[in-house]
């Protein structure tokens, strides 16, 4: 990256002074002057940074992105009313300690996970076949005709031929039934509009892999919010949007993510994505999560059945609220944010926009949602890579912000 000319640096210094004096009108005018000179100014914890202006539009901040009046209203949509949240699955946690804690939770990305699910406590101990099947049910040996040994008498050729024809017709009918059921299922879900929201704050290769898997296996729209083009991730987001017009929308902002010393906080970014969305269902997803099949249809099915949110991984709290253990399928107390679908109308009033960092914000969000949260019965076709937003941030920052959010989680546990 080339160094900014002296007159551009002077403009940025004058703008920083204007911001310090709360003269935001002058600061905006100076920002526009900097951009007209071919540069973009990024606010950081230490002051500012300058980068050459890209070919695409860059908004000054997350807050400055305009939201249409339509998306500010609750969508009518095609979903039935949500079911009332029930008890009996660990939801009657009382008290909770007032001591500060980050909360122990079975995060998928807590280890150096690989696409083969290494480090995933949900899949640890499964057979290789169960891990590789990606949602397809394995048939027991009895169904395949191998249990109990060979028949007592070998049938003659005519009987054998007839048996094969009969078996073949049954198999064909089963396949036809499965195809009709899947077609009907997709048609029913197609009535519900779905968007996947992704915060883009670095790791462009992960972004490409994640987004291409959504495009390949689903019909959902993809909404990308690029924070400061970290490591070229914003450029990658723009390339994806141009490659898939009509499927992907991207907004670029000059703000850097909070975890890198910038001013763009995770909760505010996620809230903005909710307001920019126009769909019935908003899917929260991390760029470390990758689809190997249609993982969205089962989640939408759960919402159509009355859930307010459905996700890939569910958790339940311990009695004191400081530990969470994996839970599901079925109703759960909270969902992890690697992949979860929520009724957008409910999310608008529940999202924790005060969270600066992602960790534990999914728990806070889950506890605030007004309805039942579920994990589908079927194994979703999803793999999880290393969650870089956990592993590749400063540990001190990670623990401090996780603790800050978890204090709010404990308060919610005491009151819900």
């Amino acid at each position: 990256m080339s160094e900014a000319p002296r007159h551009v640096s002077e403009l940025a210094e004058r703008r920083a002074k204007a911001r310090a004096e709360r003269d935001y009108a002058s600061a905006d005018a100076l920002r526009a002057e900097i951009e007209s000179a071919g540069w973009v100014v990024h606010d950081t914890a230490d002051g500012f940074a300058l980068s050459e202006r890209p070919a695409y539009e860059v908004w000054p901040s997350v807050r400055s992105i305009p939201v249409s009046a339509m998306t500010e209203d609750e969508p009518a949509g095609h979903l039935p009313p949500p079911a009332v949240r029930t008890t009996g699955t660990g939801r009657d946690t009382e008290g909770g300690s007032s001591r500060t804690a980050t909360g122990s939770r079975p995060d998928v990305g807590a280890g150096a996970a690989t696409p083969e699910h290494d480090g995933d406590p949900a899949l640890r101990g499964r057979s290789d076949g169960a891990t590789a099947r990606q949602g397809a049910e394995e048939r027991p040996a009895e169904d395949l005709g191998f249990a109990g040994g060979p028949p007592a008498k070998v049938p003659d050729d005519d009987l054998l031929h007839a048996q094969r024809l009969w078996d073949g017709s049954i198999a064909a009918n089963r396949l036809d039934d499965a195809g009709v059921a899947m077609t009907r299922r997709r048609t029913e879900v197609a009535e519900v509009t779905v968007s996947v929201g992704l915060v883009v704050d670095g790791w462009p290769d992960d972004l490409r892999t994640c987004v291409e898997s959504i495009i390949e296996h689903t019909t959902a729209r993809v909404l990308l919010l690029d924070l400061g083009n970290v490591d070229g991730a914003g450029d990658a987001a723009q390339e994806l949007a141009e490659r898939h017009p009509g499927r992907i929308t991207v907004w670029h902002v000059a703000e850097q993510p909070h975890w890198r010393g910038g001013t763009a906080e995770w909760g505010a970014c996620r809230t903005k994505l909710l307001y920019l969305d126009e769909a019935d269902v908003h899917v929260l997803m991390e760029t470390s999560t990758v689809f190997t099949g249609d993982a969205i249809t089962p989640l939408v099915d759960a919402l159509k059945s009355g859930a307010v949110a459905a996700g890939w991984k569910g958790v339940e709290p311990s009695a004191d609220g400081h530990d969470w253990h994996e839970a599901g399928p079925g109703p759960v107390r909270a969902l992890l944010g690697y992949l979860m679908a929520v009724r957008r109308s409910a999310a608008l009033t529940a999202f924790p926009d005060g969270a600066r960092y992602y960790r534990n914000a999914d728990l806070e969000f889950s506890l605030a949602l007004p309805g039942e949260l579920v994990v589908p019965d079927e194994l979703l076709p999803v793999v999880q890579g290393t969650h870089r937003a956990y592993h590749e941030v400063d540990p001190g920052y990670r623990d401090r912000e996780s603790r800050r959010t978890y204090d709010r989680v404990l308060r919610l546990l005491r009151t819900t």
Side-chain angles (χ1 to χ4, degrees):
M1 182 183 296
S2 59
E3 186 176 351
R6 182 174 179 80
H7 76 279
V8 173
S9 297
E10 290 174 350
L11 289 171
E13 289 170 0
R14 288 169 53 194
R15 176 183 171 276
K17 184 174 184 295
R19 282 178 56 83
E21 295 172 352
R22 298 183 180 276
D23 183 1
Y24 297 115
S26 296
D28 288 343
L30 288 163
R31 176 188 286 278
E33 194 171 348
I34 291 168
E35 291 180 355
S36 67
W39 292 81
V40 175
V41 60
H42 308 272
D43 295 314
T44 68
D46 299 327
F48 64 86
L50 289 163
S51 63
E52 293 183 85
R53 189 180 67 186
Y56 44 77
E57 181 177 24
V58 178
W59 295 92
S61 65
V62 173
R63 184 182 298 273
S64 68
I65 301 173
V67 175
S68 70
M70 180 187 349
T71 60
E72 291 181 348
D73 297 329
E74 292 189 2
H78 301 87
L79 292 170
V84 177
R85 188 190 289 259
T86 59
T87 59
T89 56
R91 295 186 176 82
D92 53 349
T93 302
E94 295 180 357
S97 171
S98 60
R99 68 181 175 89
T100 302
T102 59
S104 173
R105 42 185 275 167
D107 288 299
V108 175
T114 68
E116 288 75 27
H117 303 282
D118 291 347
D120 183 348
L123 298 178
R124 190 176 299 129
R126 289 182 183 269
S127 67
D128 292 342
T131 301
R133 67 188 182 182
Q134 301 302 336
E137 292 298 330
E138 294 177 347
R139 295 176 60 193
E142 301 90 270
D143 286 353
L144 299 176
F146 299 128
K153 180 180 179 181
V154 178
D156 59 33
D157 289 343
D158 289 340
L159 287 175
L160 184 59
H161 178 66
Q163 183 65 47
R164 285 173 176 168
L165 288 175
W166 176 254
D167 291 344
S169 66
I170 291 176
N173 287 336
R174 285 177 176 172
L175 289 174
D176 288 344
D177 290 345
V180 169
M182 180 55 71
T183 300
R184 184 182 300 114
R185 189 179 185 190
R186 287 181 179 274
T187 300
E188 291 172 352
V189 171
E191 298 174 357
V192 178
T193 55
V194 182
S195 295
V196 177
L198 293 168
V199 174
V200 180
D201 55 355
W203 309 291
D205 290 339
D206 289 0
L207 172 68
R208 293 187 185 95
T209 301
C210 172
V211 171
E212 292 290 3
S213 76
I214 299 170
I215 297 297
E216 178 182 359
H217 296 292
T218 79
T219 59
R221 291 186 61 216
V222 181
L223 310 179
L224 304 177
L225 180 56
D226 161 41
L227 308 181
N229 194 24
V230 176
D231 300 329
D235 295 336
Q238 186 67 28
E239 293 167 6
L240 287 164
E242 293 171 358
R243 190 182 310 157
H244 303 286
R247 288 290 303 277
I248 300 175
T249 304
V250 57
W251 294 269
H252 304 273
V253 298
E255 279 186 292
Q256 294 276 310
H258 191 269
W259 66 266
R260 284 181 64 105
T263 53
E265 299 178 355
W266 187 87
C269 293
R270 281 292 180 185
T271 301
K272 176 63 76 168
L273 278 172
L274 280 169
Y275 277 95
L276 290 169
D277 195 1
E278 297 179 0
D280 304 316
V281 175
H282 185 85
V283 178
L284 285 80
M285 188 170 172
E286 300 290 344
T287 56
S288 58
T289 305
V290 178
F291 291 165
T292 59
D294 181 6
I296 288 182
T297 295
L299 300 180
V300 175
D301 280 345
L303 301 192
K304 289 173 72 72
S305 297
V308 71
W312 179 37
K313 300 293 181 184
V315 289
E316 295 285 349
S318 62
D320 64 2
H322 290 288
D323 295 297
W324 293 75
H325 61 271
E326 195 159 349
V332 295
R333 180 62 160 151
L335 296 166
L336 300 186
Y338 301 107
L339 174 64
M340 62 183 295
V342 63
R343 296 166 183 260
R344 192 176 71 85
S345 57
L348 287 171
T349 60
F351 205 83
D353 58 1
R356 298 171 181 168
Y357 178 56
Y358 89 93
R359 187 169 170 79
N360 292 331
D362 48 6
L363 304 180
E364 183 182 6
F365 178 44
S366 295
L367 294 173
L369 282 170
E372 189 170 69
L373 285 64
V374 301
V375 174
D377 290 335
E378 61 193 278
L379 184 66
L380 297 183
V382 178
V383 293
Q384 179 73 36
T386 301
H387 196 257
R388 303 186 195 280
Y390 177 89
H391 290 284
E392 298 184 18
V393 303
D394 175 67
Y397 171 90
R398 182 184 67 209
D399 293 344
R400 180 178 65 256
E401 292 301 329
S402 298
R403 184 179 303 115
R404 178 176 176 270
T405 300
Y406 202 73
D407 285 343
R408 297 195 299 272
V409 171
L410 288 175
R411 287 195 291 273
L412 280 169
L413 280 173
R414 289 193 292 268
T415 57
T416 58

